[in-house]
């Protein structure tokens, strides 16, 4: 057997490149997908705007501040959904035998799953999030400086990574659950929705679930609160936004455990 | 490293199944000890639910054994799955390695990248497979538009692109027409002759076993009930072929050669079913004997199917 040729990343690049070319080659279908994805994004943005026609602030956040939270959360979620969103469709991979096929290839299963597809149509959703974020950054009175830019970058990267973990977390659980996506959608999409809300309005159970266990508050709300100098929840310090990477690490530890347990269950080794 | 390509000792796999509120343990593979030498071609046969797929999944590292030892290509399948993936090629008749929406040829390019083959090696091997499996005419056709026969040939090429030492085929000819089966079998014979590839195949088709395998392992309810040549198996169970002849005129009785037995007639002697043992008498001799008595309008020959052989083995064991 010859030694493997070329870069260890080449297999993933080849598959992803091919997925991208394939999606872009069906232009009409791709256009429609983009359009419908855009519509969903705009509807969710409109929901926020409508809410603020009857109230002037929610949990200390006015419309401008909410735009910042919404923009951060939606941009991060859409990017994660684009790259790893298919992971919470695991039962489909099991049913069609695609998962078994991954076992026959010399790469780690999870990396193969993550890189097996990419949903470019989510770019439209991401664009909505980006516009909301930019508007949010402009209309709020921010003290621009290296700290602000740094926190923004940390928040965007950590938020995307945290949401990506959520999809993998869901995927791992779906090894166990019949009709698992029904249950995991509750925290994946519930988590996305929670992330667009200021945590100050949550009751204690929500704080526990979406503040810390699924660390949604750290993807958008806490970084925004830190950027704007607003109150945080659960007695966290006003610099809590900088803890976003800690939340991302925790989310991946949990996702990794969930995935590992799921795979062991699938192979029938305990679990 | 051992010289065995497959080596199992007391390999056992049980599943817990739920029946209403009660749970029951089902033994899918029971104490399987199997040695396969490099270059052998082994037919692994048994009825549905006999544990064939479970065994294959354990050999590939997809399933963890409940107990017992397993080495494939000298590697521990689960712990060394990624190394093993470079050494084995697997064709699952029911699941696809190919990318449904891509041209067939692009699937091969992706697999070459996944196995990190050097461009020169990949091109040479691809050319060889395209020629031998006659894939040239549909390389630019998306996989979803291929006929079943074309797709199976493409699947085989996909599994063999990285020149695996062991090729496992799970029902490779299921649903194929006679010609497609024949092409695939010829290819596998050539591949084995030229590259010394070890073959392990599960099938319901005795034709596959006869033409491809020099050894047959028959499993029933997870246990090995025969391990040896097909001839030995046929001798034990008297696996017969069945010739059905349609005659021009009603003929109540036929004089048959030794090794052939009359199984029944229909339509007042217009159609006869004759069983014969291919080791003792040829189809031509049976046909000649029938033709001596009456004009033959049409005939068909059925090969014994694996279920039938398993039934006979099982009946003999009781």
């Amino acid at each position: 057997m010859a030694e493997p040729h070329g870069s260890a990343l080449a297999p993933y690049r080849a598959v992803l490149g091919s997925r991208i070319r394939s999606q872009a080659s069906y232009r009409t279908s791709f256009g429609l997908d983009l359009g419908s994805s855009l519509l969903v994004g705009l509807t969710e943005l409109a929901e926020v705007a409508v809410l603020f026609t009857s109230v002037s602030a929610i949990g200390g956040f006015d419309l401008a501040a909410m735009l910042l939270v919404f923009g951060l959360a939606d941009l991060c979620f859409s990017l994660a959904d684009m790259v790893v969103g298919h992971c919470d469709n695991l039962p489909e991979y099991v049913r069609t035998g695609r998962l078994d096929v991954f076992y026959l290839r010399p790469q780690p299963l999870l990396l193969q799953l993550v890189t097996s597809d990419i949903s470019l149509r989510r770019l439209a959703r991401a664009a909505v999030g980006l516009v909301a974020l930019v508007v949010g950054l402009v209309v709020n009175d921010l003290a621009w400086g290296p700290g602000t830019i740094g926190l923004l970058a940390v928040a965007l990267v950590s938020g995307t990574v945290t949401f990506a973990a959520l999809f993998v977390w869901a995927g791992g659980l779906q090894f166990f659950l019949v009709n698992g996506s029904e249950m995991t959608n509750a925290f994946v999409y519930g988590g996305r929705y929670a992330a667009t809300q200021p945590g100050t309005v949550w009751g204690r159970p929500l704080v526990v679930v979406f503040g810390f266990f699924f660390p949604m508050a750290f993807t958008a709300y806490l970084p925004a609160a830190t950027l704007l100098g607003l109150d945080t929840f659960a007695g966290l310090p006003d610099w809590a936004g900088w803890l976003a990477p800690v939340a991302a690490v925790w989310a991946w530890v949990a996702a990794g455990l969930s995935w590992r347990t799921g795979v062991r269950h699938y192979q029938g080794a305990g679990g | 490293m051992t010289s065995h390509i497959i080596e199992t000792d007391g390999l056992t796999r049980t599943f817990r199944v739920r029946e209403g509120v009660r749970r029951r343990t089902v033994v899918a593979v029971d104490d399987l000890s199997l040695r396969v030498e490099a270059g052998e071609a082994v037919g692994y046969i048994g009825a549905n639910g006999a544990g064939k797929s479970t065994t294959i999944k354990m050999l590939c590292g997809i399933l963890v054994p409940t107990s017992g030892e397993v080495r494939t290509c000298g590697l521990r399948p689960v712990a060394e799955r990624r190394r093993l993936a470079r050494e084995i090629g697997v064709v699952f008749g029911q699941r696809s390695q190919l990318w449904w929406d891509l041209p067939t040829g692009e699937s091969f390019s992706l697999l070459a990248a996944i196995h990190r083959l050097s461009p020169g090696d990949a091109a040479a091997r691809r050319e060889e497979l395209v020629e031998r499996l006659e894939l040239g005419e549909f390389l630019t056709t998306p996989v979803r538009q291929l006929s079943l026969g074309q797709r199976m040939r493409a699947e085989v090429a996909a599994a063999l692109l990285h020149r695996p030492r062991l090729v496992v085929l799970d029902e490779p000819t299921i649903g194929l027409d006679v010609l497609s089966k024949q092409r695939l079998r010829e290819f596998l014979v050539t591949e084995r002759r030229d590259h010394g590839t070890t073959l392990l195949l599960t099938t319901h088709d005795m034709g596959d076993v006869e033409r491809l395998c020099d050894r047959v392992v028959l499993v029933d309810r997870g246990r090995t009930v025969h391990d040896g040549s097909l001839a030995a198996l046929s001798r034990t169970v008297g696996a017969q072929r069945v010739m059905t002849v349609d005659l021009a005129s009603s003929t109540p009785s036929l004089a048959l050669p030794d090794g052939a037995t009359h199984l029944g007639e229909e339509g007042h002697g217009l159609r006869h079913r004759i069983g014969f043992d291919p080791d003792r008498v040829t189809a031509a001799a049976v046909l000649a004997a029938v033709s001596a008595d009456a004009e033959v309008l049409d005939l068909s020959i059925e090969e014994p199917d694996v279920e039938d052989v398993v039934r006979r083995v099982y009946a003999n064991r009781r």
Side-chain angles (χ1 to χ4, degrees), chain A residues 5-6 19 26 100 107, chain B residues 64 81 95 101 114 116 144:
Chain A
H5 175 271
R19 295 323 302 158
Y26 296 99
D100 286 353
Q107 281 89 30
Chain B
V64 179
R81 176 187 69 76
R95 39 196 68 170
D101 52 346
I114 282 170
R116 293 167 67 194
R144 63 184 144 80

Side-chain angles (χ1 to χ4, degrees), chain B residues 25-291:
Chain B
T25 301
V26 174
V27 183
V29 176
D30 191 2
D31 194 27
L32 176 73
S33 296
L34 181 68
R35 302 269 183 286
V36 176
E37 305 271 347
E40 270 193 289
V42 179
Y44 190 58
I45 63 176
N48 285 328
K52 296 172 305 214
S53 296
T54 306
T55 307
I56 288 182
K57 285 185 172 183
M58 288 192 284
L59 292 175
C60 303
I62 299 176
L63 265 180
V64 179
T66 307
S67 64
E69 288 292 315
V70 54
R71 290 279 186 286
T72 309
C73 299
L75 301 167
R76 287 164 297 146
V78 173
E80 297 170 291
R81 176 187 69 76
R82 291 166 59 195
R83 272 181 69 194
L84 182 60
R86 298 187 190 284
E87 309 271 345
I88 62 173
V90 183
V91 179
F92 289 118
Q94 312 284 43
R95 39 196 68 170
S96 184
Q97 291 240 43
L98 306 165
W99 282 262
W100 213 235
D101 52 346
L102 296 183
T104 311
E106 194 168 337
S107 278
F108 299 146
S109 309
L110 286 182
L111 284 166
I114 282 170
H115 283 285
R116 293 167 67 194
L117 307 180
S118 74
D121 186 31
R125 179 62 168 163
R126 178 182 166 133
E127 197 176 321
E128 180 190 3
L129 291 169
V130 166
E131 190 196 314
R132 288 190 175 174
L133 283 163
E134 298 168 59
L135 311 175
E137 61 194 274
F138 55 84
L139 276 180
T140 53
T141 311
V143 173
R144 63 184 144 80
Q145 291 173 12
L146 300 185
S147 72
L148 183 61
Q150 290 174 330
R151 189 173 74 79
M152 278 314 296
R153 267 142 62 203
E155 294 286 353
V156 170
L160 268 62
L161 193 68
H162 59 290
R163 302 179 194 272
R165 291 161 62 198
L166 169 66
V167 175
V168 180
L169 304 119
D170 192 9
E171 300 286 358
T173 59
I174 199 163
L176 296 190
D177 61 63
V178 179
L179 191 65
S180 301
K181 278 186 189 177
Q182 191 49 32
R183 277 179 173 176
L184 195 53
R185 288 168 184 161
E186 279 168 11
F187 165 78
L188 290 169
V189 168
T190 316
E191 173 72 17
R192 188 179 158 217
R193 187 192 64 212
D194 291 358
H195 298 289
T197 314
T198 311
L199 297 182
L200 177 74
L201 71 136
T202 76
T203 181
H204 277 79
D205 189 323
M206 285 307 278
D208 286 347
V209 178
E210 276 180 14
R211 289 173 183 82
L212 291 172
C213 304
D214 36 34
R215 178 176 163 200
V216 183
V217 176
L218 179 63
V219 284
D220 188 73
R221 302 180 203 186
R223 299 196 75 100
T224 308
V225 291
H226 172 87
D227 186 349
S229 68
L230 180 65
L233 180 64
S234 299
R235 272 198 298 280
T236 338
V237 297
Q240 286 190 323
R241 290 182 193 193
V242 175
M243 181 185 289
T244 304
V245 287
D246 287 343
L247 306 178
S249 59
S250 174
T251 312
S253 70
L254 297 167
L256 296 172
D258 279 350
T261 49
H262 193 258
L263 297 178
E265 54 139 335
E266 288 167 40
H268 303 289
L270 283 174
R271 169 173 288 184
H272 292 263
R273 293 179 68 242
I274 301 156
F276 67 100
D277 179 347
D279 283 345
R280 294 175 58 203
V281 61
T282 64
V286 176
L287 183 60
V290 175
S291 302

Side-chain angles (χ1 to χ4, degrees), chain A residues 140-154:
Chain A
N140 282 292
D141 187 19
L142 292 174
W144 286 98
T148 307
I149 292 169
L151 180 55
L152 204 56
V154 164

Side-chain angles (χ1 to χ4, degrees), chain A residues 80 83-84 87 110-111 114 157-169 213 215 244-260:
Chain A
V83 179
V84 299
C87 291
L110 181 55
L111 272 177
V114 166
V157 172
S158 307
T160 306
V161 170
T162 304
F163 281 118
L166 209 57
F167 283 108
V168 171
W169 197 333
F213 188 68
V246 178
V249 169
W250 152 244
W252 269 100
V253 168
L257 282 173
S258 164
W259 177 258
R260 201 182 149 78

Side-chain angles (χ1 to χ4, degrees), chain A:
Chain A
M1 194 64 213
E3 279 304 298
H5 175 271
S7 151
L9 292 178
Y12 309 111
R13 270 205 305 271
V15 174
L16 274 179
S18 153
R19 295 323 302 158
I20 290 169
R21 281 195 303 281
S22 158
Q23 285 173 33
S25 67
Y26 296 99
R27 282 174 188 280
T28 316
S29 150
F30 184 56
L32 286 170
D33 277 350
L34 274 182
S36 61
S37 175
L38 185 68
L39 209 61
V40 172
L42 289 174
T43 311
E44 276 168 357
L45 182 57
E47 208 176 293
V48 176
V50 167
L51 204 58
F52 276 86
T53 56
S54 27
V55 294
S56 57
I58 298 174
F61 279 59
D62 59 9
L63 179 59
M66 276 295 279
L67 274 177
L68 191 58
V69 178
F70 180 90
L72 265 176
D74 216 40
L75 178 57
C76 292
F77 181 84
S78 305
L79 289 176
D81 194 8
M82 177 172 85
V83 179
V84 299
H86 53 277
C87 291
D88 84 338
N89 198 17
L90 191 91
E92 174 82 7
Y93 281 78
V94 172
R95 198 169 46 73
T96 58
R98 281 177 78 187
L99 190 73
D100 286 353
V101 167
F102 289 160
Y103 274 89
L104 306 174
R105 295 178 179 161
Q107 281 89 30
L109 294 177
L110 181 55
L111 272 177
Q112 286 190 66
L113 175 67
V114 166
T115 56
S116 67
D117 211 346
I118 183 165
S119 310
L120 291 182
R121 64 178 186 279
R122 309 268 188 237
L123 280 173
R125 273 293 285 286
V128 174
L130 181 64
V131 169
L133 175 63
V134 169
V135 172
L137 289 173
V138 172
V139 296
N140 282 292
D141 187 19
L142 292 174
W144 286 98
T148 307
I149 292 169
L151 180 55
L152 204 56
V154 164
L156 281 172
V157 172
S158 307
T160 306
V161 170
T162 304
F163 281 118
L166 209 57
F167 283 108
V168 171
W169 197 333
L173 287 175
Q174 286 173 3
F175 279 107
F176 296 93
L177 307 166
V178 186
N179 291 328
S181 56
E182 308 273 331
M183 189 270 185
T184 54
N185 279 352
F187 71 80
V188 172
Y189 296 94
R192 189 210 77 89
Y193 188 71
T196 61
Q197 308 292 318
T200 27
V201 300
W202 293 345
R204 183 171 292 272
L206 271 184
V207 168
V208 173
V209 176
F210 287 127
F212 297 101
F213 188 68
F214 302 113
M216 297 299 102
F218 290 83
T219 59
Y221 154 65
L222 285 172
T226 302
L227 281 172
L228 299 168
L230 292 171
D231 283 345
T232 54
F233 73 156
L236 289 174
D238 60 2
W239 49 265
W242 286 99
L243 294 174
V246 178
V249 169
W250 152 244
W252 269 100
V253 168
L257 282 173
S258 164
W259 177 258
R260 201 182 149 78
T261 317
V263 166
R264 287 177 65 83
H265 176 75
Y266 183 71
Q267 295 177 313

